Amino acid sequence: MDRIRAHRAAALLAVVVTAVGGPAPATAGPPRTGVRLSAGPETLPITTGQCNGGQLLVRLTNTGRTPVYADAVLTAPEALHLPRRLISTWLPAGYTRTVPVAVSAPTGTPAGTYTVRVASGARRAAVPVAVSPARPTTDLARSAARVTASSSRTGFPVCGAVDGDADPARWGAGTGWADGTGRQWPDWYALTWSHPQQLTRVTVTTVDSPQYPTARYGLRDWDVQLATHTGWRTVAEVRGNTARTVSSTFARQPSSALRLVTLAANGVNDQTRIVELAIS
């Protein structure tokens, strides 16, 4: 009888341990549940800058016959920034969930290869991240050391407005920024550089597509402001806009930060939508 009880206890332990991603004891027999872990790509190339990073993909697969909760923990050197370090997901039997994780390196990070490690129970995966300096560009928005906003709507992060994609028809398809407090004004979107830049022009592209026409959903009123030693100073104003793209020019002057203060959209009590922001 004691031998039967011991066998049953060992089998139960195998199911519990394997369900959270850990290995079953060798004497417990074949596991009934399990989680397989993988991560990619083989190497992730990125350039320095908050918005010049990339995405690695973490894949968790339930190889068993019963649903399980699965966790994955990510670790990285201090030189890399990961907005999330824990993945926790429900996996039906036989199901694979792929979770994208953004990876970036702040401006000034030494070039080199760094490693992001992923662990789920006893499973391990690693993705080398090859960091190189940001490429020279005439668009100063792409070289900003920091990009911030008053708020952001899910799926429309701040980096979406400085990703180099100014196609207004792609709004909602992986590009652009939107504030997260619709029907509340003003909103703001700001860029900061490590050193003062000579600034003279700002080009704003707002939405324009069959689903989101500018005259109904586009940005209407905003101010362009530069940081000075006494605070923010307005250098350009736009009012009553119905065009998809508007350029504002002003006397060339050095500044380490620029922001748009948005005041109204063409929809009544609508929200701020910026597809792309270019600065020179």
Side-chain angles (χ1 to χ4, degrees):
M1 180 65 68
D2 290 341
R3 182 177 300 176
I4 293 174
R5 289 174 179 171
H7 179 75
R8 288 176 177 174
L12 177 61
L13 177 62
V15 172
V16 172
V17 171
T18 308
V20 297
T27 58
R32 295 173 59 189
T33 62
V35 175
R36 184 170 64 242
L37 166 70
S38 64
E42 293 185 3
T43 300
L44 177 65
I46 65 174
T47 58
T48 56
Q50 174 188 341
C51 295
N52 297 330
Q55 285 188 340
L56 62 82
L57 300 177
V58 177
R59 298 180 182 86
L60 295 165
T61 301
N62 180 1
T63 61
R65 298 192 298 268
T66 58
V68 296
Y69 279 106
D71 293 336
V73 178
L74 296 92
T75 57
E78 292 184 0
L80 300 181
H81 173 69
L82 278 65
R84 65 185 302 178
R85 300 286 180 132
L86 174 65
I87 297 170
S88 186
T89 185
W90 173 251
L91 295 176
Y95 188 80
T96 296
R97 188 174 301 279
T98 300
V99 181
V101 178
V103 181
S104 62
T107 300
T109 299
T113 300
Y114 305 83
T115 302
V116 175
R117 303 186 186 281
V118 189
S120 179
R123 279 73 169 178
R124 300 290 185 270
V127 177
V129 178
V131 177
S132 58
R135 303 174 185 87
T137 175
T138 57
D139 181 2
L140 296 176
R142 304 294 303 281
S143 63
R146 189 167 180 231
V147 182
T148 55
S150 52
S151 64
S152 294
R153 188 171 298 275
T154 300
F156 297 92
V158 292
C159 288
V162 290
D163 60 1
D165 188 344
D167 183 356
R170 281 178 44 77
W171 176 257
T175 189
W177 166 75
D179 79 279
T181 58
R183 302 183 180 183
Q184 297 181 29
W185 303 92
D187 303 314
W188 57 264
Y189 186 95
L191 301 96
T192 304
W193 293 270
S194 301
H195 306 285
Q197 306 292 320
Q198 295 290 334
L199 307 175
T200 187
R201 178 190 295 267
V202 173
T203 300
V204 177
T205 301
T206 188
V207 294
D208 186 26
S209 68
Q211 184 178 4
Y212 296 102
T214 302
R216 185 174 179 183
Y217 294 97
L219 194 57
R220 188 185 76 192
D221 303 335
W222 66 90
D223 292 342
V224 178
Q225 298 182 336
L226 296 182
T228 70
H229 65 282
T230 59
W232 292 102
R233 181 166 64 89
T234 299
V235 294
E237 297 180 353
V238 176
R239 298 292 185 270
N241 173 61
T242 56
R244 67 166 63 176
T245 301
V246 177
S247 291
S248 301
T249 58
F250 41 88
R252 185 178 297 277
Q253 51 199 292
S255 181
S256 59
L258 177 149
R259 75 176 181 181
L260 257 61
V261 178
T262 61
L263 306 172
N266 285 313
V268 177
N269 294 327
D270 207 345
Q271 67 183 105
T272 300
R273 297 179 175 90
I274 299 177
V275 174
E276 188 71 9
L277 181 66
I279 302 172
S280 59

